Amino acid sequence: SLDLSFEDDMQLIAPSGEGKTSVIQAVQYACGIDVAKIYPTINKFIIKDLETKVILTLSVDEYTYVLERSNKQKWSTDKLLGTKIFKGNESECVFDGEPTSITNYKAKIVSLFGVDIDMLPLLLDISAFTNLHWEDQRKILSKLLHLDAIVEELNNDEKFNLLKEDLAKGKSEVDIQKV
């Protein structure tokens, strides 16, 4: 359990292995981002029968919201061998006291922060961009640069439409440049 107050210019400073990354991942997880290492491990082996639960209290525009997200491992025991078999995870999301689906949970969080769903990972970790698939990177850059509006503007531009027609007719680049 940890209580922190994040200010405008907060820094987490501690020796290696003291949990700085875990704190950031907990905040990300509570905000609806899937975190790769949700369960603690010892020598790369998952510790069994754990539940991860993060409760994050946010103050936004003088209102307080409580975000609660948990994940519990599901295991079964092989009756013959007596070994445990991992059967997946069971998650629960609660936004301000109301249980909800992960989709609605994320939608409420992005509206709270006033960002698009694609931008949420970047809001909490700018280095997350490099871990995204190239198509997701393209979507984000397109939104940031307002490329959709530029393309729409070009499509409504008479000169651009003439250029598209010339290209469709098979005119060479040199001929188009002359025009």
Side-chain angles (χ1 to χ4, degrees), residues 2-178:
L2 178 66
D3 290 324
L4 291 174
S5 177
F6 290 92
E7 301 300 324
D8 291 340
D9 199 15
M10 182 183 173
Q11 296 178 10
L12 292 177
I13 301 170
S16 183
E18 293 292 319
K20 298 178 299 291
T21 301
S22 296
V23 169
I24 299 301
Q25 287 178 334
V27 171
Q28 291 171 328
Y29 181 70
C31 290
I33 296 171
D34 294 322
V35 178
K37 292 171 32 175
I38 192 165
Y39 291 115
T41 58
I42 297 176
N43 296 331
K44 298 184 182 177
F45 292 102
I46 294 176
I47 301 169
K48 297 178 181 169
D49 296 325
L50 291 179
E51 179 179 351
T52 299
K53 185 174 193 173
V54 179
I55 301 170
L56 180 65
T57 303
L58 294 174
S59 294
V60 179
D61 297 331
E62 300 178 23
Y63 293 100
T64 300
Y65 302 92
V66 178
L67 310 179
E68 190 174 326
R69 189 170 174 205
S70 63
N71 206 344
K72 188 174 186 178
Q73 299 170 336
K74 293 191 294 185
W75 295 86
S76 67
T77 304
D78 184 302
K79 291 178 185 175
L80 201 53
L81 300 173
T83 58
K84 289 194 170 196
I85 302 166
F86 184 64
K87 295 290 186 176
N89 293 307
E90 185 177 286
S91 349
E92 184 179 334
C93 298
V94 179
F95 186 90
D96 220 18
E98 298 283 326
T100 186
S101 70
I102 186 67
T103 304
N104 288 339
Y105 184 80
K106 287 180 181 182
K108 289 177 180 186
I109 290 168
V110 296
S111 69
L112 187 68
F113 289 135
V115 297
D116 191 75
I117 189 77
D118 297 330
M119 303 293 185
L120 188 59
L122 298 177
L123 180 67
L124 300 166
D125 179 9
I126 194 66
S127 68
F129 184 79
T130 58
N131 298 326
L132 295 174
H133 188 272
W134 69 268
E135 289 174 330
D136 294 327
Q137 288 178 343
R138 183 188 57 76
K139 284 180 195 173
I140 288 171
L141 287 173
S142 178
K143 286 177 184 172
L144 286 172
L145 300 172
H146 307 289
L147 293 182
D148 292 339
I150 293 169
V151 169
E152 187 176 325
E153 188 178 319
L154 281 173
N155 282 329
N156 294 328
D157 185 284
E158 194 174 309
K159 291 178 188 174
F160 185 71
N161 285 323
L162 291 173
L163 175 65
K164 285 194 315 188
E165 288 174 20
D166 287 344
L167 285 170
K169 291 177 186 173
K171 286 189 177 180
S172 73
E173 249 183 79
V174 175
D175 291 338
I176 292 171
Q177 285 177 355
K178 286 178 185 175

